[in-house]
Amino acid sequence: MSFGRLDRSSGAQPMSDINMTPLIDVMLVLLVIFIITAPLLASSIKLDLPKTDAAKASDVPKAVMVVVDAAGQAFLNDHPVSPDELARQFVTAQQANPDTEVQLRADTAVPYGRIVEVMGAAQKAGLNRIGFVADNPAAAASPQRATQTPAPAAVDARKP
């Protein structure tokens, strides 16, 4: 008396290979994100910025970054410039957009007179919005942060 077949066919075998396509997709997306954000995280000029609790990031539609290093050398958008070239670039920026803000990053060792010269050149060109970039001491002291994130503290230098 036979109730059925004794030999059973085996079902689908479990797949032992890992599908690499989703892993590669995720890694490529992360790579693109890092490529885009890496230049924004750090400036190429190393400075010892002053620290203040009042430093907050502001959204400025158009800004010109001026850096003065410890030796007093001025850099405009990370390119070294002479005082005359800096004044010409300020005039060009003012003609392109009168509301352009000058974000001034200066090392703590820079003499006050050098900073006043840069501010005077900006005001002479008609750029009255000057933001002083400083680091937040609480954020700079945290061990998790490896890069500096500048935060401009905007100052309106217009005469009353």
Side-chain angles (χ1 to χ4, degrees):
M1 196 163 62
S2 154
F3 291 116
R5 295 174 49 180
L6 293 177
D7 58 353
R8 296 186 180 198
S9 64
S10 59
Q13 296 293 324
M15 185 171 48
S16 63
D17 294 333
I18 296 175
N19 188 358
M20 295 296 289
T21 305
L23 179 66
I24 292 171
D25 289 344
V26 168
M27 296 309 272
L28 287 175
V29 168
L30 288 175
L31 178 67
V32 168
I33 290 171
F34 287 136
I35 288 173
I36 291 172
T37 58
L40 303 175
L41 294 178
S43 177
S44 61
I45 302 167
K46 300 296 180 195
L47 294 177
D48 180 23
L49 291 174
K51 304 198 179 355
T52 178
D53 290 331
K56 299 255 188 291
S58 65
D59 295 331
V60 179
K62 176 70 176 157
V64 175
M65 179 67 72
V66 178
V67 177
V68 181
D69 66 1
Q73 172 65 43
F75 296 84
L76 182 68
N77 295 330
D78 292 336
H79 299 292
V81 291
S82 67
D84 295 332
E85 179 64 25
L86 184 64
R88 282 194 296 274
Q89 292 293 330
F90 282 157
V91 170
T92 304
Q94 194 278 337
Q95 290 172 350
N97 185 1
D99 291 333
T100 299
E101 178 179 308
V102 177
Q103 293 183 350
L104 181 60
R105 298 178 68 215
D107 195 280
T108 56
V110 175
Y112 181 69
R114 180 68 179 120
I115 302 207
V116 170
E117 290 172 6
V118 172
M119 289 174 55
Q123 288 181 339
K124 195 178 210 183
L127 297 175
N128 295 321
R129 295 177 51 136
I130 300 175
F132 297 94
V133 180
D135 279 337
N136 190 341
S142 68
Q144 311 153 326
R145 293 186 42 156
T147 60
Q148 295 179 355
T149 303
V155 175
D156 195 357
R158 293 183 215 154
K159 295 181 182 176

